[in-house]
Amino acid sequence: MPAKERIVLPALEAEVSHEAEVVVVGGGASGIAAAMAAARSGADTLLIEQRGFLGGMGTVSLVPAFCPFTDKEKPVVRGIGLELLQAMKRQGSGAYRRLNGEKLDWVPIDAEVLKRVYDEAVLGSGARLLLHTGVSRVLTDASGERIEGLVIHNKSGTSFVRCAQVIDATGDADIAALAGAPFQKGGEDGELQPGTMCYLLANANLNRFRAYLQESGDGWQIPKAVSQAQDRGDLPPGRREVSGFAWVTESVVGVNFGHIFGIDGTRAEDLTRGAVEGRRLAEVQLKFLQRCVPGFEEAHLVATGEQIGIRETRRIVGDYVLTQDDFMERRSFPDDIARNSYFIDIHMATSRSKMQVRHLPPGESHGVPYRSMLPLGLSNVWVPGRAASCDRVVQGSLRVMPNCFAMGQAAGTAAALAAEGGLDSRAVNTEALQRRLVADGAWLGEALLAKFGGPKG
């Protein structure tokens, strides 16, 4: 491929529009928890989000349900993440609460309620919020290791945000990559998990659907109906079941169904193709559901995701790379800042390959070390969430929203401690961080709960 033409842009002069001790970039699960934790810990905190609302994949892409918060015996993700989940359930409609009020695993997302919950929680924590804003450049000090500020662009123009600590919660390690931190992407051949265009249906009928499942013997993910439709050519090849139905009420359901292959979520061209193909595929799937699955005869497509759902892009290379062996051996670390029990869930990169799924036994989890959020070569940056430092197998487990909440809370608390003490990220005392996290309701395992005497339950 020939090299693309390059031009030199003129020097940029920009006003300093904002200053903060902690700047969080990205308003998904990890960024929300990071901003709340930093602000609650006393740091002057600014959260920057490119869209007009918070929530990341759960609102932007209409991912229909939260992955499990428990290890099938007890909540593993607690603290801010569990607080936000419970707030969404409390503020949901009576119909939503009747159907979903007691759940902690696979809780359907009511996106419009969740947007308001996130607004109220972030602003209520004392953090400032700047929506409709993207980051185009980072400025580092002479060493290249410390970010001194970010160049942002929005309707107000191009300006500069000065900061002491930065949390890259973009999910794609955008800020770390802009600053020159090393990263990995996808598998050995560059393959990436596919994207999915999720959507919301109204005028469905849960009772009829349940009756169909009982009468037909088809499972909740309707593998028989999907396989038969694929064999007839009514659905494209790929995963032979629906990834998930999440019933918000007895007539409104979120759907996670099918794949768009070859999507790199760090490329605008790929996101464009994913959006167009995803909307087209949603129509094909809806016609299949209406024709073949009782309970969906009169279903009406209310909304597709603003963006196709993305499962993986960049992973930073951090001070520690969490591995498949760490997951399978359920290892703990001296600097644990979260626990993870979600199964390894790697979706196939092509329609001809197979998914990889590996579960831990009920009641079991592994630790997530603080070092996995620290990108090599940067001294005041944390990367929680989907882009944390791990191998590709573990990323297939660590990437889900409950884990992002837990890592985000740890990153925000650490950044506040660093700002308070004038420290870099690696000088934060991890025992002090763990003590603060446990006091704030996070669960880091029974040993640390006993050591620090945190809240029970």
mmCIF file of all heavy atoms in Angstrom, residues 157-203:
data_model
loop_
_atom_site.group_PDB
_atom_site.id
_atom_site.type_symbol
_atom_site.label_atom_id
_atom_site.label_comp_id
_atom_site.label_asym_id
_atom_site.label_seq_id
_atom_site.Cartn_x
_atom_site.Cartn_y
_atom_site.Cartn_z
ATOM 1 N N GLY A 157 -14.824 25.396 20.509
ATOM 2 C CA GLY A 157 -13.559 25.565 19.814
ATOM 3 C C GLY A 157 -12.499 24.610 20.329
ATOM 4 O O GLY A 157 -12.790 23.609 20.997
ATOM 5 N N THR A 158 -11.258 24.912 20.033
ATOM 6 C CA THR A 158 -10.123 24.118 20.481
ATOM 7 C C THR A 158 -9.487 24.804 21.671
ATOM 8 O O THR A 158 -9.224 26.017 21.632
ATOM 9 C CB THR A 158 -9.091 23.950 19.351
ATOM 10 O OG1 THR A 158 -9.724 23.276 18.249
ATOM 11 C CG2 THR A 158 -7.892 23.138 19.808
ATOM 12 N N SER A 159 -9.236 24.059 22.736
ATOM 13 C CA SER A 159 -8.664 24.655 23.945
ATOM 14 C C SER A 159 -7.814 23.622 24.662
ATOM 15 O O SER A 159 -7.667 22.483 24.217
ATOM 16 C CB SER A 159 -9.761 25.203 24.859
ATOM 17 O OG SER A 159 -10.598 24.159 25.317
ATOM 18 N N PHE A 160 -7.263 24.033 25.805
ATOM 19 C CA PHE A 160 -6.315 23.206 26.549
ATOM 20 C C PHE A 160 -6.838 22.956 27.953
ATOM 21 O O PHE A 160 -7.357 23.866 28.614
ATOM 22 C CB PHE A 160 -4.956 23.914 26.621
ATOM 23 C CG PHE A 160 -3.875 23.119 27.283
ATOM 24 C CD1 PHE A 160 -3.336 21.998 26.670
ATOM 25 C CD2 PHE A 160 -3.385 23.486 28.528
ATOM 26 C CE1 PHE A 160 -2.323 21.263 27.272
ATOM 27 C CE2 PHE A 160 -2.377 22.762 29.147
ATOM 28 C CZ PHE A 160 -1.842 21.644 28.512
ATOM 29 N N VAL A 161 -6.700 21.719 28.419
ATOM 30 C CA VAL A 161 -7.056 21.345 29.788
ATOM 31 C C VAL A 161 -5.775 21.000 30.521
ATOM 32 O O VAL A 161 -5.072 20.047 30.146
ATOM 33 C CB VAL A 161 -8.016 20.134 29.802
ATOM 34 C CG1 VAL A 161 -8.303 19.717 31.244
ATOM 35 C CG2 VAL A 161 -9.309 20.458 29.069
ATOM 36 N N ARG A 162 -5.458 21.766 31.555
ATOM 37 C CA ARG A 162 -4.259 21.502 32.352
ATOM 38 C C ARG A 162 -4.623 20.561 33.496
ATOM 39 O O ARG A 162 -5.665 20.720 34.134
ATOM 40 C CB ARG A 162 -3.684 22.802 32.903
ATOM 41 C CG ARG A 162 -2.399 22.618 33.702
ATOM 42 C CD ARG A 162 -1.828 23.957 34.142
ATOM 43 N NE ARG A 162 -1.257 24.685 33.006
ATOM 44 C CZ ARG A 162 -1.538 25.943 32.704
ATOM 45 N NH1 ARG A 162 -2.431 26.619 33.429
ATOM 46 N NH2 ARG A 162 -0.967 26.528 31.678
ATOM 47 N N CYS A 163 -3.756 19.568 33.761
ATOM 48 C CA CYS A 163 -4.096 18.575 34.774
ATOM 49 C C CYS A 163 -2.837 18.042 35.442
ATOM 50 O O CYS A 163 -1.729 18.158 34.900
ATOM 51 C CB CYS A 163 -4.888 17.426 34.156
ATOM 52 S SG CYS A 163 -4.054 16.632 32.771
ATOM 53 N N ALA A 164 -3.039 17.434 36.621
ATOM 54 C CA ALA A 164 -1.932 16.801 37.338
ATOM 55 C C ALA A 164 -1.928 15.290 37.126
ATOM 56 O O ALA A 164 -0.870 14.669 37.047
ATOM 57 C CB ALA A 164 -2.035 17.117 38.833
ATOM 58 N N GLN A 165 -3.132 14.679 37.048
ATOM 59 C CA GLN A 165 -3.262 13.235 36.900
ATOM 60 C C GLN A 165 -4.297 12.946 35.813
ATOM 61 O O GLN A 165 -5.283 13.682 35.671
ATOM 62 C CB GLN A 165 -3.709 12.582 38.218
ATOM 63 C CG GLN A 165 -3.021 13.094 39.472
ATOM 64 C CD GLN A 165 -1.558 12.718 39.551
ATOM 65 O OE1 GLN A 165 -1.082 11.830 38.833
ATOM 66 N NE2 GLN A 165 -0.810 13.390 40.429
ATOM 67 N N VAL A 166 -4.081 11.866 35.054
ATOM 68 C CA VAL A 166 -4.966 11.541 33.933
ATOM 69 C C VAL A 166 -5.419 10.089 34.049
ATOM 70 O O VAL A 166 -4.589 9.190 34.243
ATOM 71 C CB VAL A 166 -4.260 11.734 32.577
ATOM 72 C CG1 VAL A 166 -5.198 11.368 31.434
ATOM 73 C CG2 VAL A 166 -3.757 13.165 32.419
ATOM 74 N N ILE A 167 -6.722 9.873 33.916
ATOM 75 C CA ILE A 167 -7.265 8.524 33.852
ATOM 76 C C ILE A 167 -7.815 8.315 32.448
ATOM 77 O O ILE A 167 -8.742 9.008 32.020
ATOM 78 C CB ILE A 167 -8.349 8.301 34.909
ATOM 79 C CG1 ILE A 167 -7.747 8.447 36.313
ATOM 80 C CG2 ILE A 167 -9.001 6.921 34.741
ATOM 81 C CD1 ILE A 167 -8.753 8.398 37.435
ATOM 82 N N ASP A 168 -7.201 7.387 31.733
ATOM 83 C CA ASP A 168 -7.624 7.060 30.374
ATOM 84 C C ASP A 168 -8.691 5.987 30.465
ATOM 85 O O ASP A 168 -8.401 4.799 30.589
ATOM 86 C CB ASP A 168 -6.418 6.575 29.556
ATOM 87 C CG ASP A 168 -6.774 6.198 28.124
ATOM 88 O OD1 ASP A 168 -7.977 6.095 27.813
ATOM 89 O OD2 ASP A 168 -5.837 5.995 27.328
ATOM 90 N N ALA A 169 -9.951 6.410 30.415
ATOM 91 C CA ALA A 169 -11.084 5.494 30.493
ATOM 92 C C ALA A 169 -11.798 5.418 29.152
ATOM 93 O O ALA A 169 -13.002 5.181 29.096
ATOM 94 C CB ALA A 169 -12.045 5.939 31.597
ATOM 95 N N THR A 170 -11.052 5.609 28.073
ATOM 96 C CA THR A 170 -11.651 5.589 26.739
ATOM 97 C C THR A 170 -12.051 4.192 26.301
ATOM 98 O O THR A 170 -12.806 4.029 25.343
ATOM 99 C CB THR A 170 -10.668 6.156 25.705
ATOM 100 O OG1 THR A 170 -9.484 5.345 25.678
ATOM 101 C CG2 THR A 170 -10.291 7.595 26.043
ATOM 102 N N GLY A 171 -11.532 3.155 26.958
ATOM 103 C CA GLY A 171 -11.774 1.782 26.542
ATOM 104 C C GLY A 171 -10.863 1.328 25.424
ATOM 105 O O GLY A 171 -10.738 0.129 25.162
ATOM 106 N N ASP A 172 -10.236 2.261 24.745
ATOM 107 C CA ASP A 172 -9.348 1.972 23.621
ATOM 108 C C ASP A 172 -7.921 2.444 23.879
ATOM 109 O O ASP A 172 -7.104 2.425 22.962
ATOM 110 C CB ASP A 172 -9.873 2.654 22.356
ATOM 111 C CG ASP A 172 -11.280 2.223 21.991
ATOM 112 O OD1 ASP A 172 -11.519 1.003 21.948
ATOM 113 O OD2 ASP A 172 -12.136 3.093 21.759
ATOM 114 N N ALA A 173 -7.635 2.867 25.110
ATOM 115 C CA ALA A 173 -6.317 3.409 25.467
ATOM 116 C C ALA A 173 -5.925 4.551 24.543
ATOM 117 O O ALA A 173 -4.751 4.731 24.208
ATOM 118 C CB ALA A 173 -5.249 2.308 25.450
ATOM 119 N N ASP A 174 -6.895 5.378 24.157
ATOM 120 C CA ASP A 174 -6.616 6.474 23.221
ATOM 121 C C ASP A 174 -5.587 7.449 23.771
ATOM 122 O O ASP A 174 -4.684 7.889 23.048
ATOM 123 C CB ASP A 174 -7.908 7.240 22.915
ATOM 124 C CG ASP A 174 -8.860 6.467 22.015
ATOM 125 O OD1 ASP A 174 -8.393 5.554 21.297
ATOM 126 O OD2 ASP A 174 -10.061 6.777 22.026
ATOM 127 N N ILE A 175 -5.724 7.816 25.041
ATOM 128 C CA ILE A 175 -4.832 8.830 25.615
ATOM 129 C C ILE A 175 -3.442 8.246 25.805
ATOM 130 O O ILE A 175 -2.434 8.886 25.476
ATOM 131 C CB ILE A 175 -5.399 9.346 26.948
ATOM 132 C CG1 ILE A 175 -6.822 9.862 26.756
ATOM 133 C CG2 ILE A 175 -4.506 10.444 27.511
ATOM 134 C CD1 ILE A 175 -6.996 10.891 25.658
ATOM 135 N N ALA A 176 -3.366 7.043 26.336
ATOM 136 C CA ALA A 176 -2.061 6.398 26.502
ATOM 137 C C ALA A 176 -1.355 6.247 25.160
ATOM 138 O O ALA A 176 -0.140 6.472 25.046
ATOM 139 C CB ALA A 176 -2.244 5.039 27.173
ATOM 140 N N ALA A 177 -2.098 5.849 24.130
ATOM 141 C CA ALA A 177 -1.497 5.696 22.803
ATOM 142 C C ALA A 177 -1.023 7.032 22.252
ATOM 143 O O ALA A 177 0.071 7.121 21.660
ATOM 144 C CB ALA A 177 -2.501 5.048 21.847
ATOM 145 N N LEU A 178 -1.823 8.092 22.422
ATOM 146 C CA LEU A 178 -1.399 9.422 21.974
ATOM 147 C C LEU A 178 -0.110 9.851 22.669
ATOM 148 O O LEU A 178 0.728 10.544 22.073
ATOM 149 C CB LEU A 178 -2.498 10.452 22.257
ATOM 150 C CG LEU A 178 -3.676 10.510 21.289
ATOM 151 C CD1 LEU A 178 -4.742 11.459 21.831
ATOM 152 C CD2 LEU A 178 -3.226 10.970 19.902
ATOM 153 N N ALA A 179 0.054 9.437 23.916
ATOM 154 C CA ALA A 179 1.242 9.807 24.689
ATOM 155 C C ALA A 179 2.430 8.894 24.403
ATOM 156 O O ALA A 179 3.504 9.079 24.984
ATOM 157 C CB ALA A 179 0.924 9.799 26.179
ATOM 158 N N GLY A 180 2.257 7.898 23.541
ATOM 159 C CA GLY A 180 3.367 7.048 23.145
ATOM 160 C C GLY A 180 3.547 5.783 23.948
ATOM 161 O O GLY A 180 4.567 5.093 23.801
ATOM 162 N N ALA A 181 2.572 5.423 24.802
ATOM 163 C CA ALA A 181 2.697 4.204 25.597
ATOM 164 C C ALA A 181 2.568 2.975 24.692
ATOM 165 O O ALA A 181 1.781 2.976 23.741
ATOM 166 C CB ALA A 181 1.626 4.167 26.683
ATOM 167 N N PRO A 182 3.298 1.914 24.984
ATOM 168 C CA PRO A 182 3.176 0.697 24.170
ATOM 169 C C PRO A 182 1.845 0.010 24.415
ATOM 170 O O PRO A 182 1.284 0.068 25.507
ATOM 171 C CB PRO A 182 4.349 -0.161 24.639
ATOM 172 C CG PRO A 182 4.614 0.291 26.043
ATOM 173 C CD PRO A 182 4.300 1.755 26.061
ATOM 174 N N PHE A 183 1.358 -0.667 23.382
ATOM 175 C CA PHE A 183 0.100 -1.396 23.515
ATOM 176 C C PHE A 183 0.102 -2.582 22.559
ATOM 177 O O PHE A 183 0.917 -2.675 21.641
ATOM 178 C CB PHE A 183 -1.100 -0.487 23.227
ATOM 179 C CG PHE A 183 -1.130 0.095 21.834
ATOM 180 C CD1 PHE A 183 -1.673 -0.624 20.765
ATOM 181 C CD2 PHE A 183 -0.608 1.357 21.581
ATOM 182 C CE1 PHE A 183 -1.695 -0.094 19.483
ATOM 183 C CE2 PHE A 183 -0.627 1.901 20.297
ATOM 184 C CZ PHE A 183 -1.171 1.173 19.251
ATOM 185 N N GLN A 184 -0.843 -3.497 22.817
ATOM 186 C CA GLN A 184 -1.107 -4.621 21.927
ATOM 187 C C GLN A 184 -2.538 -4.496 21.431
ATOM 188 O O GLN A 184 -3.365 -3.816 22.034
ATOM 189 C CB GLN A 184 -0.908 -5.943 22.670
ATOM 190 C CG GLN A 184 0.507 -6.150 23.179
ATOM 191 C CD GLN A 184 0.647 -7.397 24.039
ATOM 192 O OE1 GLN A 184 -0.275 -7.786 24.736
ATOM 193 N NE2 GLN A 184 1.823 -8.015 23.999
ATOM 194 N N LYS A 185 -2.811 -5.169 20.326
ATOM 195 C CA LYS A 185 -4.169 -5.102 19.775
ATOM 196 C C LYS A 185 -4.514 -6.449 19.155
ATOM 197 O O LYS A 185 -3.820 -6.933 18.265
ATOM 198 C CB LYS A 185 -4.284 -4.000 18.729
ATOM 199 C CG LYS A 185 -5.711 -3.798 18.201
ATOM 200 C CD LYS A 185 -5.756 -2.918 16.967
ATOM 201 C CE LYS A 185 -5.448 -1.469 17.301
ATOM 202 N NZ LYS A 185 -5.660 -0.604 16.107
ATOM 203 N N GLY A 186 -5.593 -7.069 19.640
ATOM 204 C CA GLY A 186 -6.081 -8.290 19.051
ATOM 205 C C GLY A 186 -5.165 -9.477 19.249
ATOM 206 O O GLY A 186 -4.345 -9.534 20.167
ATOM 207 N N GLY A 187 -5.309 -10.463 18.351
ATOM 208 C CA GLY A 187 -4.540 -11.687 18.444
ATOM 209 C C GLY A 187 -3.227 -11.616 17.705
ATOM 210 O O GLY A 187 -2.800 -10.557 17.240
ATOM 211 N N GLU A 188 -2.579 -12.769 17.589
ATOM 212 C CA GLU A 188 -1.254 -12.822 16.977
ATOM 213 C C GLU A 188 -1.276 -12.355 15.528
ATOM 214 O O GLU A 188 -0.287 -11.811 15.030
ATOM 215 C CB GLU A 188 -0.704 -14.250 17.050
ATOM 216 C CG GLU A 188 -0.393 -14.713 18.477
ATOM 217 C CD GLU A 188 0.165 -16.122 18.507
ATOM 218 O OE1 GLU A 188 0.289 -16.738 17.422
ATOM 219 O OE2 GLU A 188 0.486 -16.597 19.613
ATOM 220 N N ASP A 189 -2.374 -12.569 14.844
ATOM 221 C CA ASP A 189 -2.503 -12.152 13.446
ATOM 222 C C ASP A 189 -3.296 -10.862 13.306
ATOM 223 O O ASP A 189 -3.748 -10.518 12.204
ATOM 224 C CB ASP A 189 -3.167 -13.265 12.635
ATOM 225 C CG ASP A 189 -2.346 -14.544 12.618
ATOM 226 O OD1 ASP A 189 -1.104 -14.440 12.538
ATOM 227 O OD2 ASP A 189 -2.942 -15.633 12.707
ATOM 228 N N GLY A 190 -3.486 -10.162 14.422
ATOM 229 C CA GLY A 190 -4.230 -8.910 14.388
ATOM 230 C C GLY A 190 -5.735 -9.078 14.413
ATOM 231 O O GLY A 190 -6.473 -8.091 14.309
ATOM 232 N N GLU A 191 -6.226 -10.318 14.572
ATOM 233 C CA GLU A 191 -7.670 -10.540 14.571
ATOM 234 C C GLU A 191 -8.302 -9.926 15.817
ATOM 235 O O GLU A 191 -7.709 -9.897 16.885
ATOM 236 C CB GLU A 191 -8.003 -12.025 14.479
ATOM 237 C CG GLU A 191 -7.676 -12.860 15.722
ATOM 238 C CD GLU A 191 -6.247 -13.366 15.768
ATOM 239 O OE1 GLU A 191 -5.401 -12.825 15.015
ATOM 240 O OE2 GLU A 191 -5.973 -14.279 16.564
ATOM 241 N N LEU A 192 -9.502 -9.411 15.645
ATOM 242 C CA LEU A 192 -10.239 -8.769 16.721
ATOM 243 C C LEU A 192 -11.602 -9.441 16.873
ATOM 244 O O LEU A 192 -12.188 -9.914 15.891
ATOM 245 C CB LEU A 192 -10.453 -7.284 16.421
ATOM 246 C CG LEU A 192 -9.195 -6.403 16.421
ATOM 247 C CD1 LEU A 192 -9.476 -5.092 15.715
ATOM 248 C CD2 LEU A 192 -8.738 -6.147 17.845
ATOM 249 N N GLN A 193 -12.092 -9.464 18.097
ATOM 250 C CA GLN A 193 -13.451 -9.946 18.296
ATOM 251 C C GLN A 193 -14.416 -9.081 17.484
ATOM 252 O O GLN A 193 -14.200 -7.876 17.328
ATOM 253 C CB GLN A 193 -13.832 -9.882 19.773
ATOM 254 C CG GLN A 193 -13.033 -10.817 20.665
ATOM 255 C CD GLN A 193 -13.529 -10.768 22.093
ATOM 256 O OE1 GLN A 193 -14.675 -11.094 22.373
ATOM 257 N NE2 GLN A 193 -12.663 -10.342 22.997
ATOM 258 N N PRO A 194 -15.484 -9.661 16.967
ATOM 259 C CA PRO A 194 -16.412 -8.880 16.143
ATOM 260 C C PRO A 194 -17.201 -7.886 16.981
ATOM 261 O O PRO A 194 -17.293 -8.003 18.202
ATOM 262 C CB PRO A 194 -17.332 -9.955 15.553
ATOM 263 C CG PRO A 194 -17.328 -11.032 16.589
ATOM 264 C CD PRO A 194 -15.919 -11.052 17.137
ATOM 265 N N GLY A 195 -17.776 -6.922 16.300
ATOM 266 C CA GLY A 195 -18.698 -5.999 16.939
ATOM 267 C C GLY A 195 -20.124 -6.500 16.812
ATOM 268 O O GLY A 195 -20.418 -7.407 16.021
ATOM 269 N N THR A 196 -21.014 -5.923 17.593
ATOM 270 C CA THR A 196 -22.433 -6.273 17.526
ATOM 271 C C THR A 196 -23.273 -5.009 17.591
ATOM 272 O O THR A 196 -23.039 -4.149 18.447
ATOM 273 C CB THR A 196 -22.834 -7.204 18.687
ATOM 274 O OG1 THR A 196 -22.144 -8.453 18.551
ATOM 275 C CG2 THR A 196 -24.332 -7.473 18.691
ATOM 276 N N MET A 197 -24.244 -4.910 16.698
ATOM 277 C CA MET A 197 -25.217 -3.828 16.772
ATOM 278 C C MET A 197 -26.382 -4.297 17.626
ATOM 279 O O MET A 197 -27.197 -5.125 17.197
ATOM 280 C CB MET A 197 -25.708 -3.436 15.379
ATOM 281 C CG MET A 197 -26.772 -2.338 15.393
ATOM 282 S SD MET A 197 -26.201 -0.785 16.161
ATOM 283 C CE MET A 197 -25.218 -0.109 14.809
ATOM 284 N N CYS A 198 -26.434 -3.806 18.847
ATOM 285 C CA CYS A 198 -27.542 -4.142 19.745
ATOM 286 C C CYS A 198 -28.718 -3.204 19.481
ATOM 287 O O CYS A 198 -28.546 -2.122 18.918
ATOM 288 C CB CYS A 198 -27.087 -4.039 21.194
ATOM 289 S SG CYS A 198 -25.754 -5.180 21.629
ATOM 290 N N TYR A 199 -29.902 -3.632 19.926
ATOM 291 C CA TYR A 199 -31.076 -2.805 19.653
ATOM 292 C C TYR A 199 -32.177 -3.104 20.664
ATOM 293 O O TYR A 199 -32.095 -4.065 21.444
ATOM 294 C CB TYR A 199 -31.590 -3.015 18.230
ATOM 295 C CG TYR A 199 -31.756 -4.450 17.790
ATOM 296 C CD1 TYR A 199 -32.945 -5.137 17.987
ATOM 297 C CD2 TYR A 199 -30.711 -5.118 17.144
ATOM 298 C CE1 TYR A 199 -33.107 -6.457 17.568
ATOM 299 C CE2 TYR A 199 -30.856 -6.431 16.716
ATOM 300 C CZ TYR A 199 -32.053 -7.095 16.928
ATOM 301 O OH TYR A 199 -32.197 -8.401 16.514
ATOM 302 N N LEU A 200 -33.187 -2.248 20.633
ATOM 303 C CA LEU A 200 -34.291 -2.320 21.583
ATOM 304 C C LEU A 200 -35.590 -2.513 20.821
ATOM 305 O O LEU A 200 -35.879 -1.788 19.861
ATOM 306 C CB LEU A 200 -34.354 -1.036 22.407
ATOM 307 C CG LEU A 200 -35.262 -1.013 23.626
ATOM 308 C CD1 LEU A 200 -34.746 -1.961 24.704
ATOM 309 C CD2 LEU A 200 -35.342 0.409 24.196
ATOM 310 N N LEU A 201 -36.380 -3.500 21.236
ATOM 311 C CA LEU A 201 -37.669 -3.790 20.630
ATOM 312 C C LEU A 201 -38.791 -3.493 21.612
ATOM 313 O O LEU A 201 -38.683 -3.782 22.804
ATOM 314 C CB LEU A 201 -37.759 -5.260 20.224
ATOM 315 C CG LEU A 201 -36.733 -5.784 19.213
ATOM 316 C CD1 LEU A 201 -36.933 -7.283 19.001
ATOM 317 C CD2 LEU A 201 -36.832 -5.029 17.898
ATOM 318 N N ALA A 202 -39.877 -2.943 21.097
ATOM 319 C CA ALA A 202 -41.105 -2.765 21.863
ATOM 320 C C ALA A 202 -42.196 -3.643 21.267
ATOM 321 O O ALA A 202 -42.038 -4.203 20.178
ATOM 322 C CB ALA A 202 -41.532 -1.301 21.851
ATOM 323 N N ASN A 203 -43.289 -3.772 22.004
ATOM 324 C CA ASN A 203 -44.456 -4.535 21.559
ATOM 325 C C ASN A 203 -44.146 -6.025 21.383
ATOM 326 O O ASN A 203 -44.777 -6.711 20.583
ATOM 327 C CB ASN A 203 -45.031 -3.966 20.257
ATOM 328 C CG ASN A 203 -46.518 -4.239 20.131
ATOM 329 O OD1 ASN A 203 -47.226 -4.274 21.144
ATOM 330 N ND2 ASN A 203 -46.989 -4.440 18.920
#
